[in-house]
Amino acid sequence: MHFYELFAQKGNGYYRFFAATLEKIHFCVIIEEKETQKEGRTLENAEIRGLAADFDISKVINCYSAELSRARKFYARRRTRHAFVLFTDGCSRYYYGRNEFEMGKYRLLYMPKGVDYYICHPEDCFAYILDFDSPSAFLPPPFAVTCDAGTERLFSEAVSYFASDQLDRTAKIKSIFYRIIVTVTDILCTPGYPSPSAKRLLPAIERIKSGFADPSIRIDDLARLSGLGKKHFTSEFVQVYGDTPGQYIISLRIDMACRLLTRTDLSVKEIAERCGFNSEYYFSRIFSAKTAYSPTAYRKNFRNV
C-alpha cells in the first residue's frame, strides 16, 4: 500500500504539482549560483539549472552531524553515495568544475556521487549530513540553497531517528527527506521554463538517458540533436550540468555498473559490455579511477550494504 502526499502551487499562469510517497517525489528546480572566481576577475552570477529529476531514494545509508576542521583547498575523493549537507556554523567552499558554492549557516548543499570536487574550510564548520542511495541514473547537478532554522530541525530529527532503534526509523527519515525536498523546491522553483541552454540540450539529454550504455553513442550526434556545433554543445552542457558530455555519460555507465556489481552475479566482462564498454580492461581502469575500487573489490565491499 502506498500513501501519497499531494502538493499544488499556483504561479503566474502555471501550476506546480508534487506527488510524494516514501519512495519517490518528482520536481523541477532552477538554481542560481556563482561561477568560480578566475584570476584577475570578479565573481559573476551564473544560472545552474537542474532539469526535472526523480529523487528516488532506495536506502538511507547514514545520517549524522560532524565538525569539519579548518583546511586549505584540497581534492576530495568522489563520493560513492549522494548526500544533502546542511551547514549550521562556520564557513566552507565547495568547487564542482567551474561552480563554487559558498557554504555558511543554513546553507544546504546537494552532493551527487561520482563527481570530482574540491573543498576549502577557511574556518571550523558544523554540518548535518544525510547520505543516501538512489537507483536513478539521472539526478540533478550539484546545487546549494539557503534554508532556515526549520530545515535544521528536520536534519536534527533525522539524526536522532537514525541513532535510535525504533522499528519505523527508516520510514520517518524518508519522510523527513521528502520534506527537505519540498522545502528546496519552495525556495528554488520559479515561473517559466528551463533556460534556453537547458531547453536546447533536452533532446540530447533524452538520448543520453535512454542510450548511455550504447557504445555507439557519439558527442557529434548529441550536438546535432541539439542543433549546435560540437564545441558550442560541450560548452553549454558544462554550464548546465557541470561536466562534459563524455564524462557525464561515463558517470552514468559507472553508476549502472555499481548497481550490477552489487545486485547481480554477472561477470565483470558481462557488466562492462552491458554498460557500454568495449574492453573489460578499459572498464576496470575507468571504474577504479572513478570509485577508488576495482570492480571485484567494489562487489566484495558493497554487495550486502
Side-chain angles (χ1 to χ4, degrees), residues 11-295:
N12 183 18
Y14 77 104
Y15 285 90
R16 289 191 293 137
F17 291 93
F18 305 91
T21 66
L22 289 179
E23 295 300 327
K24 183 177 288 187
I25 190 169
H26 300 273
F27 72 101
C28 178
V29 295
I30 300 174
I31 303 150
E32 183 173 316
E33 250 307 325
K34 295 179 179 179
E35 280 189 2
T36 303
Q37 185 173 9
K38 297 180 180 179
E39 193 169 347
R41 295 180 60 186
T42 58
L43 292 177
E44 297 177 356
N45 288 332
E47 290 182 338
I48 308 160
R49 286 177 165 86
L51 301 176
D54 292 340
F55 265 111
D56 185 354
I57 183 170
S58 61
K59 184 180 292 186
V60 177
I61 306 300
N62 204 354
C63 191
Y64 57 99
S65 59
E67 294 184 5
L68 309 175
S69 300
R70 180 183 304 179
R72 294 181 178 179
K73 186 176 180 180
F74 65 94
Y75 173 74
R77 180 178 295 178
R78 294 184 175 205
R79 294 183 60 86
T80 59
R81 308 293 183 193
H82 305 285
F84 279 118
V85 182
L86 179 72
F87 288 80
T88 59
D89 192 24
C91 175
S92 186
R93 298 187 186 95
Y94 284 70
Y95 304 84
Y96 283 89
R98 299 175 6 170
N99 302 314
E100 174 188 342
F101 299 101
E102 187 86 26
M103 308 308 296
K105 188 169 184 177
Y106 297 150
R107 287 280 283 172
L108 184 147
L109 176 69
Y110 165 61
M111 304 178 68
K113 70 177 181 181
V115 181
D116 285 321
Y117 66 101
Y118 289 80
I119 303 174
C120 175
H121 299 311
E123 57 186 71
D124 293 342
C125 306
F126 185 86
Y128 292 99
I129 298 99
L130 194 159
D131 292 321
F132 65 96
D133 200 3
S134 171
S136 175
F138 188 69
L139 290 174
F143 64 80
V145 297
T146 300
C147 301
D148 56 25
T151 309
E152 180 181 5
R153 286 193 293 272
L154 290 176
F155 273 86
S156 180
E157 286 179 27
V159 170
S160 296
Y161 285 134
F162 192 86
S164 73
D165 56 0
Q166 296 181 32
L167 294 178
D168 61 347
R169 69 170 191 164
T170 299
K172 288 181 176 178
I173 293 172
K174 286 185 176 182
S175 175
I176 290 173
F177 177 91
Y178 291 120
R179 287 162 65 190
I180 292 170
I181 294 298
V182 171
T183 298
V184 169
T185 58
D186 283 342
I187 296 169
L188 295 176
C189 285
T190 62
Y193 298 94
S195 67
S197 293
K199 286 195 287 186
R200 278 193 293 270
L201 295 176
L202 282 176
I205 288 297
E206 290 301 319
R207 171 70 178 101
I208 291 173
K209 287 171 62 179
S210 63
F212 65 84
D214 181 355
S216 66
I217 193 169
R218 298 174 64 245
I219 306 302
D220 288 336
D221 295 333
L222 296 174
R224 277 193 291 272
L225 284 174
S226 299
L228 300 170
K230 183 177 179 180
K231 186 176 181 180
H232 190 185
F233 170 74
T234 299
S235 176
E236 289 204 355
F237 198 99
V238 170
Q239 181 180 355
V240 174
Y241 292 99
D243 219 338
T244 66
Q247 287 300 315
Y248 189 84
I249 291 169
I250 289 291
S251 294
L252 296 183
R253 289 175 174 176
I254 296 300
D255 191 33
M256 179 180 178
C258 289
R259 296 197 303 275
L260 292 176
L261 284 166
T262 56
R263 300 177 187 180
T264 75
D265 293 319
L266 294 172
S267 68
V268 172
K269 181 179 180 180
E270 289 174 316
I271 290 174
E273 292 173 350
R274 289 200 182 190
C275 294
F277 294 95
N278 293 319
S279 161
E280 180 183 351
Y281 169 75
Y282 178 67
F283 163 68
S284 297
R285 185 163 62 87
I286 294 296
F287 189 93
S288 297
K290 296 286 187 181
T291 68
Y293 292 93
S294 69

